[in-house]
Structures are given as structure tokens and as C-alpha cells.
Amino acid sequence: MSVTPHDESFMAAAIRLSRRHLGRTATNPSVGCLIVSDGVVVGQAVTAVGGRPHAEPQALAEAGARARGATAYVTLEPCSHHGKTPPCAEALIAYGVARVVISVTDPDPRVSGRGIALLRDAGIEVDSGVLEAEGRRSLAGYLTRQTKNRPYVTLKLAVSADGMIGRAGEGQVAITGPKARAEVQTLRAETDAILVGIGTAISDDPLLTVRTPGLEAQSPIRIVLDPYLALPLTSKLVTTARDVPVILVASEEVSLLQAEGLPPSVLPDISPTRGEIGERRDQNSGISDSDDSASVDVGQGASPDSISPPVGEMPGRAEGGTAPTDAADLDSRRAALEAAGVEIVYCNPYHPEVLLPALATRGISSLLVEGGAKTARLFLEAGLVDRIHLYQAPVVIGEDGIESPLDATDIPSGFIHMGAQIFGVDRLDEYERGF
């Protein structure tokens, strides 16, 4: 049977359904499934919070006997392997579904093509690739972690009419209006983790949670690039760490310093690199308290050395705090932070091509980079941004403004303009890099 406009309509509904649990299904993708009989939806479901049960068995259970002879619309190829739950392909067969329409084939080698083969071997008609571009967009985090061994990275910037993202020395400065800020809350709710540099964490003292009523439980993991554990114990991040997880990414050299009792002044210099993950393993970097079995590669033309810390985002500099002065001070700071519920991991904070795969091993599939300017530039220069949300507002910052690392006139090559939306007086332009 050829794909019809009705197939596309039902698949579009399944994709919309799948977005309900983005950022809430742990390491599993958020999949949408519709069971349709005689043009009527008789069962529908999205992957449950936490990742189980999957969408298909829930939708089939809702449809019951009406699933026999029906068509199932699924945003991702049904799984075919026995894990913590039985294969979804077998459930579709057992309920007597006559046809399965799939948007995206699963790149997981345990599934890829096998789910489709299992269905066809049972006499079920299968059509795949329906609204594939839209399906891949809704599954971007999962697909990126599977194919690139890192989270899907979204960079969010709010830029004033004079090209600034804030004002030096004033902490948070409201650039966009309430409608645009509400949209950012939705973006946070759909994301596994949110990341800022230590300069922003100290100067703005942000909360980085979801504040939309009813969505507070969907707040992402909060990550701070904090090489020398300078985040104040009185900060909002630390004081709420037991409510919403906080991870500080500290320098690996700091871990060695604590072990050897050396002063911070002995830490080696680090030099810049750039580029997407390529084909060279860095054996000396990674998050030390995770099982990082993934390969970490550096792209063509890149150096395997660490990226140098952004000026102004290091403790003791213009945007930073006060670094511990010796091993005892570091150990005391670490103990106090951990007592407050903060998790500390050791991985070069300014080496994103190593940091991102390490985050992926912790089940983080999507990452929102929110600040500051230097942290944004770090990820842009490394070629590790997949999507840009660029808000433009009519306000003027004026003197002492912090210049944005980019604006609508200098979007990096390789990005496609996906469209624009208006929120009050503010404009959102969205750009994506192809998979």
C-alpha cells in the first residue's frame, strides 16, 4: 500500500504526541504511537515517564480487540530485542495489527531494520520513512546520542537590538519579554540537561529550573563548568541541589591536586582545539566517576588538546568567583558542596568533545547551553552546536554591554533557517544543522 495523506496526518499526530515526554524518558526515546481502525484512533500512547513501558504496548492495551486488523503509526521503529520489556514488534504481532507505519528507522544496532523484518516475516505490511524529517527532529536527542555518542546540543541566546546579551557587572538583565521567556521554559522542560559557565553562575545566580506552573517536575539537570569549585555555597543552584540535580564539572587536575596536596598554581596550561567528534581517542580525559566506554574523537583539522578556558569565566577573573587556594581548601569546598547535594565530576570543562560523550554515558541525550557569551562561543567554535534558538528583542543595552557571540547575520555555515516565531515584541529564529 502506498503512503497516503491520511498516513501523514496520523503520523503528524503521533509526532506531536511523542513530544509530551521529551526530556522525561531517561535513556529511552520519547516515542508516539497511534492505533487506527477504519480511520478512527482506537489507542494512543507515548513512552512513559522514566522510559517504560514503551508507547506501543500502552496504545495496544488501550485499543484492545480493536487493534486486530488496524494500522499502527509509530514515530520510531518498534524494538525487536528482549531487554527489560518484551519486544514491541512482538506485541504488535500478538495483537493482530495488519499494518505498521514508521517515521524513523532505529539506528540502535540491536533494532535497526530487525523490527521491520520481524513484522514483515509475520505477514504485517510495513511502510517506513513517513514524515521522516519531522520524526527525526522530534527524536533528535536520542538519534544524536546513538549516532554521534553525545547529546544533541541547543544553544539559546537572547540578543538586544544593539547586539548584546547582557551588561557587565549587573547580573541577569531582562532582554526578552514574558511571552518569550515562557517559551524558554517549555524548551527547558523538553531537555535533559542545561549548562552554563561558572561566570554566569556567579554573576547571575540563576535557578535554571522550569517555572511554568505544572511543569516544575520537568526541570532539567543543571550543569556548571566550574574548574576550581568556585560556585558559592549560598547560590540558588547549591541551595536547591537536593530538589533538582546539580553537576559541577571540575578540572581533572583539581582531582589530582586534591590527591597530591599541590597548589592550583602548578596546574598546566591548556591550549585550544575545535571540531566535531572525529576519529582520535583522548585516553586522558573523561568524567572520572562514570563508566565511559564510548570513543571520544576529534574532527578533521582539530587538535586533541584541551580548549582554553574562556577569559572571564575562570574564578578570580571579571565574571568569576574566588578559587580555593590549596588542597585543604579544595577538599573542604568539595565536601561542603557534596553535603549540599551537588555532584562533582572531573572532566576538563573546556574540552567539550570529551565532555559531551561523557555526559552521554550518563544518559543525557539533549543539552541546552544558556550562558554566558564565552561558554556559547566555546561550543560554537568546537562545532558542537546542533540547533540555535536566537531571540531578538527591541531593547537597547548600551554601554558596558556584553556582546553576543553571534547574531542573525553571522550564523555559522551548515545551519539551515527553520523558521521564525513572534512572541510579543520579540522574534525567535531557529536554525538547525543537518544530521
Side-chain angles (χ1 to χ4, degrees), residues 28-195:
N28 286 340
S30 182
V31 174
C33 177
L34 301 183
I35 309 298
V36 178
S37 178
D38 297 324
V40 178
V41 176
V42 296
Q44 61 181 324
V46 59
T47 306
V49 173
R52 296 182 184 83
H54 293 180
E56 296 95 322
Q58 295 181 81
L60 289 166
E62 182 177 299
R66 293 175 294 179
R68 183 162 297 278
T71 297
Y73 293 86
V74 191
T75 59
L76 183 68
E77 178 182 2
C79 62
S80 56
H81 62 289
H82 286 268
K84 294 184 178 179
T85 57
C88 293
E90 289 186 359
L92 291 162
I93 294 168
Y95 270 84
V97 169
R99 180 174 177 240
V100 176
V101 180
I102 298 166
S103 178
V104 179
T105 301
D106 196 335
D108 186 334
R110 298 172 300 175
V111 180
S112 187
R114 297 177 183 178
I116 292 175
L118 192 63
L119 294 169
R120 285 177 173 160
D121 288 347
I124 295 175
E125 181 180 355
V126 180
D127 289 297
S128 61
V130 177
L131 297 187
E132 183 174 7
E134 293 85 345
R136 291 178 70 84
R137 192 168 296 119
S138 70
L139 291 161
Y142 171 75
L143 296 175
T144 301
R145 187 166 57 84
Q146 284 288 335
T147 61
K148 296 184 178 180
N149 188 37
R150 63 169 178 81
Y152 183 85
V153 177
T154 298
L155 172 63
K156 191 276 291 183
L157 291 168
V159 183
S160 68
D162 55 345
M164 306 298 171
I165 64 170
R167 185 177 290 112
E170 293 195 13
Q172 295 189 48
V173 175
I175 293 178
T176 55
K179 292 183 179 180
R181 291 197 294 271
E183 181 67 14
V184 172
Q185 298 300 307
T186 300
L187 178 60
R188 288 182 180 181
E190 294 179 346
T191 305
D192 291 338
I194 184 170
L195 180 146

Side-chain angles (χ1 to χ4, degrees), residues 198-247:
I198 184 59
T200 294
I202 290 174
S203 64
D204 290 4
D205 192 20
L207 198 54
L208 302 180
T209 55
V210 176
R211 295 186 292 278
T212 301
L215 296 181
E216 296 92 343
Q218 294 178 226
S219 293
I221 296 169
R222 299 169 295 173
I223 302 173
V224 181
L225 304 182
D226 186 7
Y228 297 154
L229 304 183
L231 186 66
L233 298 175
T234 56
S235 67
K236 292 175 184 175
L237 288 167
V238 174
T239 57
T240 60
R242 295 199 178 279
D243 302 317
V244 180
V246 173
I247 296 175

Side-chain angles (χ1 to χ4, degrees), residues 420-433:
Q421 300 179 65
I422 302 299
F423 298 96
V425 297
D426 305 315
R427 173 188 172 106
L428 167 62
D429 286 275
E430 183 175 349
Y431 304 84
E432 285 186 0
R433 193 196 300 272

Side-chain angles (χ1 to χ4, degrees), residues 251-270:
S251 170
E252 292 169 300
E253 288 83 358
V254 165
S255 178
L256 294 174
L257 184 153
Q258 290 174 307
E260 299 175 7
L262 300 174
S265 60
V266 306
L267 296 181
D269 293 332
I270 48 182

